[in-house]
Amino acid sequence: MNHSSQEWAPQAQQPGPYGRPAAPAETVIHVPNKRLRRYDKVVPGEPTATVQQAGPGTQGQPLAYVHVPPDAPKGNRQERPAFTVTGPNGEPLSSVRPVGGGVYEVYGGDGVPLGRITRRGGRTLPWPRRVRWSVQPAQGGAPLVGEVGTGKAWTVFVLISPIYFLCWAVMAAQGALWLLLGEKGEAKKEAAWEMEPPTWTRWRSADAPEVAIEYQTGRKYRLASPRLDHRLAYAQAVLHVWDRA
């Protein structure tokens, strides 16, 4: 699909060991997740999601469009469907293909390998383990690794979970009462409250102290390394948002 009506001015890029071309020194992007959850409802040819600039004064300027085939098989957290990413004017940027076991191969618009993204699932027993993402550029070097949530945040989350479930039970009862009284709007308000698990994620390599990608909240990502290929960064952001959809 041609998006030539969208205005976009590319920023200066610097080459580096994590792939080429690289993102600007620091960019904040936003990836809405609503249509990622409902890609089978999207009109063929229309983008499933838009990667937008989210920094001051950018006004949601589009950077790329994510396309998931509407007839793609239903995936799960360990294997999302294949998708492609195009630029603001419809130029192909990358394609992302699952190969099983939480592993995704990323290729450029010309078919050249860009890297591999891997998701290792979390667990509670026999010992706690956080969800872990890694980005391995095709050019080699240490992968960028990020674990979802900090250890302290998960400890607090576990400690206050019983209080949350007690509050949830009270609010669910209130919602049921409003529903019996015919107040559907009030019932929805009571049911909407929920406690989200820790989400803060920082990707960095073992041989470099700086953070390459950072996610805090709101489906916004700070791309802070000029060495990271922005196409790999977009692919990781989409998969990470999809994981939290």
Side-chain angles (χ1 to χ4, degrees), residues 175-230:
L177 180 59
W178 281 118
L179 195 60
L180 289 173
L181 294 175
E183 297 288 345
K184 294 184 179 180
E186 293 296 330
K188 288 182 179 180
K189 290 179 183 180
E190 296 292 345
W193 185 75
E194 62 178 349
M195 182 177 69
E196 292 189 356
T199 60
W200 192 9
T201 310
R202 287 177 165 180
W203 286 260
R204 51 162 57 99
S205 65
D207 60 357
E210 72 270 13
V211 175
I213 311 176
E214 181 178 32
Y215 174 83
Q216 291 189 2
T217 187
R219 297 172 293 282
K220 293 182 179 180
Y221 297 80
R222 183 174 67 93
L223 312 183
S225 174
R227 300 186 297 170
L228 176 63
D229 188 317
H230 67 285

Side-chain angles (χ1 to χ4, degrees), residues 11-223:
Q11 302 181 37
Q13 298 176 346
Q14 304 176 23
Y18 291 149
R20 303 182 184 188
E26 182 167 313
T27 302
V28 179
I29 64 173
H30 176 237
V31 185
N33 68 352
K34 184 176 181 180
R35 299 187 84 183
L36 282 170
R37 297 196 304 263
R38 303 175 57 192
Y39 61 84
D40 57 330
K41 306 295 184 183
V42 176
V43 177
E46 290 294 320
T48 307
T50 303
V51 179
Q52 306 167 343
Q53 289 196 62
T58 59
Q59 300 178 345
Q61 202 169 22
L63 292 171
Y65 296 95
V66 181
H67 302 266
V68 183
D71 59 351
K74 288 294 183 182
N76 53 52
R77 294 195 175 190
Q78 282 300 103
E79 188 169 331
R80 297 297 184 185
F83 61 91
T84 58
V85 181
T86 61
N89 298 314
E91 67 276 17
L93 293 182
S94 63
S95 61
V96 182
R97 309 172 192 171
V99 294
V103 179
Y104 302 85
E105 300 286 359
V106 185
Y107 297 87
D110 54 2
V112 175
L114 296 178
R116 170 177 290 185
I117 298 175
T118 303
R119 179 192 185 276
R120 186 189 70 178
R123 67 185 181 199
T124 303
L125 300 173
W127 56 83
R129 187 178 73 183
R130 290 174 282 169
V131 173
R132 176 175 176 174
W133 291 94
S134 66
V135 180
Q136 177 63 67
Q139 288 77 8
L144 299 170
V145 177
E147 291 187 304
V148 178
T150 64
K152 292 181 179 179
W154 276 107
T155 299
V156 172
F157 179 81
V158 171
L159 291 177
I160 67 176
S161 290
I163 300 175
Y164 162 74
F165 284 117
L166 177 61
C167 293
W168 177 85
V170 172
M171 297 186 76
Q174 291 176 339
L177 180 59
W178 281 118
L179 195 60
L180 289 173
L181 294 175
E183 297 288 345
K184 294 184 179 180
E186 293 296 330
K188 288 182 179 180
K189 290 179 183 180
E190 296 292 345
W193 185 75
E194 62 178 349
M195 182 177 69
E196 292 189 356
T199 60
W200 192 9
T201 310
R202 287 177 165 180
W203 286 260
R204 51 162 57 99
S205 65
D207 60 357
E210 72 270 13
V211 175
I213 311 176
E214 181 178 32
Y215 174 83
Q216 291 189 2
T217 187
R219 297 172 293 282
K220 293 182 179 180
Y221 297 80
R222 183 174 67 93
L223 312 183

